[in-house]
Amino acid sequence: EVNNHVLIPRPETEFLLETVLHYLNKQDFSVDCCVDLCCGSGVIAIVLARELNTEVLAIDCSLEALAVTKRNCRKHNVDDRVKTLCSDLFAAVDHSTVYQLIVSNPPYVRRGSIEHELDAEVADFEPQLALDGGLDGLDCIRRLAIEAVQYLAPSGLFVMEFGAEQGQRVNEIFLDIHSGGKYFEKVDILKDYSGRDRVLVAQINAYT
């Protein structure tokens, strides 16, 4: 289910999820609990809960979006494994909690592009809150880099969708993060089905 409070899932997000599952399988990575940040319709949380048979914390700052997430979780029989939280990124998350996996499809469209470059069916129907990434499209992504490093367990993975022209800047942003002995020691930028930069996979160091 989608409505005008959530983004319509697209092939780019399918690629995001395939990337997550590939990396976890490749590294034989076990996940007990993970986060879907900026969850929208809940599609990412639902796939993670079903494919990984794990608990998922689905976070969004929109109560209307979370209502859609909850309905979709019930439809796909994962409402016992997906917990929702209304929060501005990690603002309402317990500071003592860490996760092995954080996945996000954040707002990353440049503000000026929403009105002048996006198709009308997107700009007029889908929520600006889920699209608007600020003047350069990276406002939310910069915050995510700073906050995610605090909530990842040692050697944990952060996987994120971003705009096709943002690969170099996204790579730089995540490599520059150092906080309390934590940093992303491995950052990969992957190309989507169309050959465009689309997904970041960043692994935090094995801190103690």
Side-chain angles (χ1 to χ4, degrees), residues 4 21 23-24 27 31 43 49 56 60 66 71 77 114 132 136 148-149 152 160 165 174 186 198-199:
N4 61 350
L21 298 176
Y23 264 74
L24 296 184
Q27 296 191 14
V31 176
V43 60
V56 183
D60 205 288
L66 289 174
R71 290 196 294 272
N77 301 312
I114 295 175
D132 189 351
D136 64 356
V149 76
L152 280 168
M160 180 188 72
E165 307 300 322
F174 277 79
K186 184 179 181 183
R198 183 62 65 182
V199 168

Side-chain angles (χ1 to χ4, degrees), residues 154 180-181 205-208:
N205 62 313
Y207 63 88
T208 56

